Amino acid sequence: MVLILALCWLAVLLLTLEVCRAAGRADAQTERARRRTCAIGVVTAAGALAAAPAAPARNCGAPPPDAPPSELAAAVTCRIADVRGDRDLQRLRPQRQLGAIARRYAADMAERDFFSHVSPEGARLRDRLIAADYVDEQCSWHAGEVLAWGTGRDASAGWTVRAWMRSPSHRRILIGPDYDEIGVGVAHGAPVETSPGVPAITAVAVLGRHHCPA
């Protein structure tokens, strides 16, 4: 009798262990399936995002390289507004002093054949901001500057902004969330020697934010 009872308990114990193992296998399969589903979801979402058509750009115009510098600068400004608008970033206000800084520096690089954030005299962006009275020692400020030049078909507002956006360091400035003002300047000519008769432009964009106590 005792032997029969022992065998019955053993059978029950084995059955319970098998049920637990089966449940464990089911849970593991469910977890693997869940992970596969998440991975597929991520890949599908990324693929759908890549395949989605780009948001239509505003009508920024495409002035030719020989257009007035003000028209070229306006087209560059418009395209920067587009890339920021696509990311729901705040709209940048055109700022008079930043515009003057950008125009002068673009012309200076094109005329004196240098291409750098530091002028031949050693002046940096901070020096240009102070010289233009955009900031003084009593102001808090933050600013970034991007430069470009292009010749031939690349002498355009569209190519300029696309080139900036392809560069991580320039892209960070163009879509920087801390900026609220902008100035853009474009000059005819390039900061290097180019082939005669080939159009060229040099562009500068300065983005900033500043606060000066009353």
Side-chain angles (χ1 to χ4, degrees):
M1 185 67 171
V2 173
L3 180 59
I4 294 173
L5 289 174
L7 291 173
C8 289
W9 279 111
L10 182 59
V12 170
L13 180 60
L14 292 173
L15 179 61
T16 301
L17 290 174
E18 182 61 28
V19 169
C20 290
R21 281 197 297 270
R25 288 194 298 271
D27 288 343
Q29 290 171 351
T30 300
E31 177 63 17
R32 285 195 296 271
R34 184 188 69 79
R35 291 176 181 172
R36 282 198 301 271
T37 300
C38 290
I40 292 170
V42 170
V43 172
T44 301
L49 183 61
R58 293 189 300 126
N59 182 21
C60 294
D66 60 352
S70 59
E71 290 185 18
L72 292 164
V76 171
T77 304
C78 179
R79 290 177 183 275
I80 292 174
D82 272 351
V83 299
R84 291 181 63 88
D86 289 343
R87 292 158 180 79
D88 294 325
L89 295 168
Q90 68 174 341
R91 187 177 182 84
L92 302 176
R93 301 187 304 272
Q95 208 282 338
R96 178 180 57 82
Q97 290 150 306
L98 294 184
I101 292 170
R103 288 191 299 273
R104 290 170 187 159
Y105 202 56
D108 194 24
M109 287 192 294
E111 290 171 4
R112 295 204 289 163
D113 298 333
F114 75 94
F115 187 71
S116 171
H117 293 283
V118 183
S119 75
E121 293 75 28
R124 301 176 181 273
L125 175 59
R126 174 188 176 88
D127 302 311
R128 293 190 282 279
L129 294 169
I130 293 173
D133 293 327
Y134 180 73
V135 298
D136 59 36
E137 297 303 325
Q138 304 302 316
C139 300
S140 61
W141 60 276
H142 176 55
E145 178 182 72
V146 292
L147 316 175
W149 63 272
T151 63
R153 291 189 301 176
D154 295 340
S156 69
W159 179 90
T160 298
V161 176
R162 286 194 298 272
W164 283 335
M165 290 297 289
R166 285 194 294 266
S167 164
S169 58
H170 294 78
R171 178 188 177 95
R172 279 194 296 271
I173 293 174
L174 290 193
I175 62 174
D178 296 333
Y179 300 118
D180 59 11
E181 297 177 323
I182 187 172
V184 175
V186 176
H188 291 138
V192 297
E193 185 176 351
T194 60
S195 301
V198 176
I201 63 170
T202 301
V204 176
V206 183
L207 283 69
R209 174 192 291 272
H210 76 302
H211 174 71
C212 298

